[in-house]
Amino acid sequence: MTVKYKGGEKKILVPESAVVVSFQPTDKSELKPGAQIFSVAQKQPDGSLTAARVNIGLQGQVPPM
């Protein structure tokens, strides 16, 4: 695959085993116990976590990390 970006391009090898995913909005009801998720969160002064986005693996998929 060739990735083009401002200032150049780079050829990268994508193995056949690579999983291709897309992101789309979903209902928050999909976020339930046992769901596979990936998120970047920040710890708040009170110990809670805050995240701008939570990626949920649907239909048995595990979100990329």
Side-chain angles (χ1 to χ4, degrees):
M1 172 188 323
T2 302
V3 179
K4 295 181 180 182
Y5 53 90
K6 185 177 179 178
E9 65 180 46
K10 193 81 152 176
K11 289 187 180 189
I12 59 171
L13 176 64
V14 179
E16 289 186 28
S17 61
V19 177
V20 178
V21 298
S22 64
F23 296 101
Q24 60 188 18
T26 190
D27 188 81
K28 65 182 177 182
S29 67
E30 295 291 350
L31 188 58
K32 49 192 163 202
Q36 295 285 330
I37 66 131
F38 172 77
S39 183
V40 175
Q42 292 182 329
K43 193 171 192 176
Q44 302 302 303
D46 67 357
S48 65
L49 299 173
T50 302
R53 171 185 329 205
V54 177
N55 297 320
I56 307 169
L58 301 177
Q59 301 172 350
Q61 294 293 317
V62 177
M65 294 191 194

